[in-house]
């Protein structure tokens, strides 16, 4: 049995209370690792170590810090297969996906911000012949970094890299459901020779270790990725303390398919955008709107592709979808589908556990549609009820999508913008004017056209409305993890 330990001040230590909890392998329902159930006292020790390391680390030359980031990236590459296997066993995603998406991106996050740091230019402005201003970007102190269970090490490194690149130190609290790769990362960071206390890992429950980190008076900034409910709770905790806060939250992303789509070329990517990582990506397209002229033919083609997705053992190379992350999450997804069926939605495929998989938190790729569609009074009434249903407004975060027709650009923009979320949207069209015109009208932080999840880390990433506060990316992460100081000098 693997028992994880916290990583504080450069050393792996047990939680003070000696308590651990089991984290299951969602494919076998067996215990995968034991995780420290850390409390406020463990968090305080980690914060003290980070605080003590801050001045030495922040005064290092940027080139030196960049070299450390590159060493960590090399360490991730060296243990890539072990990390991919651990991520798969811990989270449920196919190992092939972890090996091609999660782990390479974790290494790239460090290399990307090493590059940003090495090539950064700052701002200077001559005001007149004897006066000019310039901007200093200064590190802030101890960063509290809290990450979710869907892309565990991918999202965690996306916070650690910029935080330490710019001279901060940090305390990291990974999700209690997927702590294994974070533990391996702590070994990689130790072996890279990063000065002790620069990065500290405290494992535990959100309401205990997570809450203690958010509350800690010596942690002036919190970067959180996770659910909107928890994001709101953290926001309430930090507001009175005037802490800097970055929130990357949930989504209910529309996928809009126009009749001029090149379906032969894009169908597989549209299906991938619905079900990749078991639909447990905040960027998955879960509300599919299709122009009425092609609604029937598209739906038939989409369902056929969905039925062909291989659901099974995450360690099998042929597997496209593994189990959901936990029993509780599986029950949440099942609840959404049961309610939708009770409201009269049609199940075009899926809707339950795959026949051949008796163990594990598996759920089949599921497609729901309005009970009736079309211009008849019954079809219009059914479509109206469908758009008002819970499955169309709340984040399921599982392999469940809906498909409904639309008749005009204005109608589908209104539908797409009708939820409390605004993380991303995806358009499929061969018309440039449709692409630019509709992208401009959508309430979303990211709009993809004829592609999905293509990420350029230089660009801002984040959501509007209840999908978050702030952005992450080249400039945005640097601005979050530093304070700008304008210096104005007169030199007559
Ligand atoms: O919980 P939480 P989950 C969505 C998705 C999912 C829902 C819940 O709908 O079902 O959010 O996510 C820590 N103070 N997304 O189950 O609470 C917790 O320990 C401080 C979208 O992950 O969001 C974990 O480390 N920390 C999202 C982290 O918060 C607290 C990806 C996230 O857990 C805390 C994942 C507290 N009071 C889920 N309570 C995305 N945008 O990618 C919990 N935590």
């Amino acid at each position: 049995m693997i028992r994880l330990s916290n990583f504080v001040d450069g050393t792996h230590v047990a939680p003070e209370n000696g308590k651990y909890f089991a984290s299951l392998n969602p494919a076998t329902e067996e215990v995968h690792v034991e995780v420290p159930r850390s409390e406020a006292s463990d968090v305080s020790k980690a914060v003290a170590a980070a605080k003590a390391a801050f001045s030495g680390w922040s005064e290092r030359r940027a080139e030196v810090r960049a070299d450390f980031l590159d060493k960590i990236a090399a360490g991730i590459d060296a243990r890539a297969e072990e990390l991919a296997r651990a991520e798969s066993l811990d989270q449920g995603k196919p190992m092939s996906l972890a090996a091609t998406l999660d782990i390479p991106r974790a290494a790239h996050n460090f290399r990307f911000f090493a590059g940003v740091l090495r090539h950064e230019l700052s701002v200077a402005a001559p005001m007149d012949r004897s006066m000019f201003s310039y901007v200093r970007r200064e590190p802030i102190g101890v960063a509290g970094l809290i990450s979710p269970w869907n892309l565990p090490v991918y999202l965690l490194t996306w916070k650690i890299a910029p935080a330490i690149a710019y001279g901060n130190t940090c305390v990291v609290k990974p999700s209690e459901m997927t702590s294994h790769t974070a533990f391996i990362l702590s070994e990689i960071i130790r072996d890279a020779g990063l000065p002790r206390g620069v990065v500290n890992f405290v494992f535990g429950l959100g309401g205990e270790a997570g809450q203690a980190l958010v509350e800690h008076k010596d942690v002036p900034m919190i970067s959180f990725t996770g659910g909107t409910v928890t994001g709101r709770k953290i926001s309430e905790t930090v507001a009175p303390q005037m802490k800097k806060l970055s929130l990357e939250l949930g989504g209910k992303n529309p996928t809009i398919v126009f009749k001029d789509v090149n379906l032969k070329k894009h169908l597989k990517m549209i299906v991938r955008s619905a079900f990749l990582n078991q639909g447990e990506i905040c960027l998955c397209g879960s509300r599919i709107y299709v122009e009425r002229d092609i609604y029937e033919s598209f739906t038939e083609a989409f369902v056929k592709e969905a039925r062909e997705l291989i659901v099974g053992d995450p360690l099998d190379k042929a597997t496209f979808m593994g189990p959901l992350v936990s029993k509780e999450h599986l029950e949440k997804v099942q609840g959404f589908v049961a309610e939708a069926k009770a409201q009269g939605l049609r199940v075009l495929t899926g809707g339950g556990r795959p026949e051949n998989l008796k163990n594990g938190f598996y759920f089949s790729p599921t497609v729901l549609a309005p009970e009736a569609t079309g211009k008849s009074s019954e079809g219009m009434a059914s479509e109206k009820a469908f758009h008002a249903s819970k499955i169309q407004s709340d984040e399921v975060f599982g392999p469940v999508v809906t498909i409904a027709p639309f008749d005009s650009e204005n109608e589908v923009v209104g539908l797409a913008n009708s939820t409390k979320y605004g993380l991303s949207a995806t358009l499929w069209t061969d018309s440039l004017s449709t692409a630019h015109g509709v992208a401009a009208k959508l309430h979303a932080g990211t709009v993809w056209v004829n592609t999905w999840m293509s990420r350029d880390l230089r660009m801002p990433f984040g959501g509007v409305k209840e999908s978050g506060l702030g952005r992450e990316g080249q400039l945005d992460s640097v601005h979050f993890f530093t304070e700008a100081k304008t210096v104005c000098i007169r030199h007559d």
Side-chain angles (χ1 to χ4, degrees):
M1 170 56 58
I2 304 172
R3 172 172 275 190
L4 309 185
S5 50
N6 292 334
F7 182 65
V8 178
D9 208 20
T11 310
H12 283 98
V13 292
E16 283 200 338
N17 61 18
K19 285 185 190 170
Y20 295 84
F21 58 87
S23 174
L24 302 185
N25 172 334
T28 62
E29 302 185 40
E30 290 162 2
V31 179
H32 172 59
V33 292
E34 287 188 319
V35 184
R37 185 166 175 172
S38 306
E39 295 176 347
S41 56
D42 301 293
V43 170
S44 290
K45 282 197 170 2
V47 172
K51 200 175 172 188
F54 175 67
S55 59
W57 178 247
S58 59
E59 284 152 19
R60 297 269 181 134
R61 285 189 305 109
E63 188 59 41
V64 170
R65 293 201 301 263
D67 288 347
F68 272 116
L69 267 66
D70 281 341
K71 275 185 198 151
I72 295 169
I76 292 171
D77 288 346
R79 296 180 67 172
E81 188 175 342
E82 177 193 358
L83 281 160
R85 184 180 176 82
E87 201 74 294
S88 175
L89 293 174
D90 208 7
Q91 201 275 344
K93 69 181 70 205
M95 185 170 164
S96 60
L97 179 62
T100 52
L101 175 69
D102 301 65
I103 308 313
R105 173 66 193 273
H108 183 56
N109 286 338
F110 282 102
R111 291 196 171 97
F112 175 76
F113 281 106
V116 170
L117 187 58
R118 286 193 178 100
H119 301 98
E120 184 175 27
L121 295 173
S122 62
V123 176
M127 293 159 81
D128 59 28
R129 290 182 59 76
S130 64
M131 191 143 56
F132 80 101
S133 300
Y134 65 91
V135 173
R136 290 172 51 88
R137 286 222 153 269
E138 299 177 344
I140 300 170
V142 178
L145 310 179
I146 299 171
S147 54
W149 50 257
N150 61 324
L151 301 167
V153 75
Y154 167 132
L155 290 172
L156 180 54
T157 52
W158 181 231
K159 297 179 187 295
I160 296 175
I164 65 172
Y166 280 81
N168 302 290
T169 55
C170 60
V171 176
V172 168
K173 212 299 292 173
S175 173
E176 51 272 40
M177 292 199 268
T178 53
S179 299
H180 193 183
T181 48
F183 174 74
I184 297 171
L185 180 63
S186 72
E187 293 180 325
I188 290 168
I189 285 174
R190 175 202 60 198
D191 298 345
L194 198 67
R196 64 191 178 88
V198 172
V199 182
N200 303 273
F201 290 72
V202 177
F203 297 99
L205 303 180
E208 296 172 358
Q211 184 72 23
L213 179 59
V214 168
E215 288 171 352
H216 201 290
K217 65 177 179 47
D218 293 337
V219 177
M221 60 191 136
I222 297 291
S223 178
F224 170 81
T225 297
T228 295
V229 170
T230 304
R232 181 177 286 112
K233 189 157 182 241
I234 291 173
S235 200
E236 288 162 0
T237 305
V238 304
Q241 302 174 55
M242 301 292 282
K243 294 190 180 191
K244 276 187 106 172
L245 179 63
S246 165
L247 295 175
E248 292 293 339
L249 305 176
K252 186 70 184 180
N253 311 308
T255 295
I256 306 174
V257 184
F258 288 89
K259 64 185 176 192
D260 61 4
V261 63
N262 179 340
L263 199 54
K264 196 167 173 341
K265 186 174 176 184
H266 296 312
L267 179 61
K268 284 194 184 304
M269 182 57 89
I270 298 173
V271 173
R272 184 179 169 84
S273 74
F275 300 115
L276 190 70
N277 203 53
Q278 303 74 240
E280 295 166 331
I281 299 180
C282 54
L283 299 168
C284 280
S286 53
R287 291 184 288 146
I288 303 174
Y289 297 105
V290 183
E291 200 156 9
R292 201 176 293 274
D293 289 4
I294 63 165
Y295 178 67
E296 294 303 334
S297 57
F298 173 87
T299 301
E300 191 181 327
F302 184 93
V303 166
K304 182 174 177 299
E305 280 290 325
R307 284 192 177 128
E308 288 169 8
L309 296 175
I310 297 174
V311 183
D313 178 354
L315 299 181
D316 183 332
K317 282 193 171 43
T319 296
F320 175 83
M321 246 178 59
L324 299 192
V325 71
S326 68
K327 186 169 184 290
E328 295 72 21
H329 191 54
L330 171 62
E331 287 165 355
K332 174 181 169 185
V333 172
Q334 287 169 329
F336 268 105
V337 174
E339 187 172 347
K341 283 160 73 173
Q343 287 178 332
L345 272 67
R346 280 179 295 146
V347 179
L348 305 186
T349 187
R353 169 190 288 276
E355 292 294 314
N356 60 323
L357 296 166
K358 299 304 171 212
N359 253 352
F361 310 130
Y362 287 93
F363 198 79
S364 298
T366 297
V367 181
L368 304 172
E371 191 175 16
T373 59
K375 293 300 205 189
S376 68
S377 56
E378 186 212 3
M380 288 165 73
S382 156
E383 287 182 28
K384 190 164 181 287
F386 168 83
H387 292 310
S389 62
K390 184 168 175 249
I391 194 95
Q392 283 301 91
S393 57
D394 290 8
E395 183 181 46
V396 177
F397 217 62
V400 179
V401 301
T402 60
I403 304 187
F406 71 87
D407 295 296
S408 72
E409 198 175 281
N410 282 344
E411 181 200 5
V412 76
V413 166
L415 290 170
N417 290 338
S418 62
T419 72
K420 61 189 176 184
Y421 294 105
L423 192 57
S424 70
T426 311
L427 306 185
W428 303 89
T429 175
D430 256 2
S431 155
L432 263 183
S433 63
T434 302
H436 289 293
V438 173
K441 294 174 191 160
L442 292 173
H443 303 163
T446 297
V447 177
W448 281 295
V449 180
N450 294 337
T451 186
W452 175 70
M453 203 122 146
S454 305
R455 290 273 293 109
D456 179 334
L457 305 191
R458 295 169 296 182
M459 305 308 278
F461 174 80
V464 298
K465 299 194 281 187
E466 296 200 13
S467 287
L469 274 181
R471 296 290 187 274
E472 293 179 309
Q474 177 170 335
L475 293 180
D476 304 90
S477 295
V478 173
H479 288 189
F480 179 75
F481 287 113
T482 59
E483 288 295 1
K485 178 187 287 174
T486 298
V487 179
C488 177
I489 297 187
R490 184 179 191 85
H491 52 84
D492 5 41

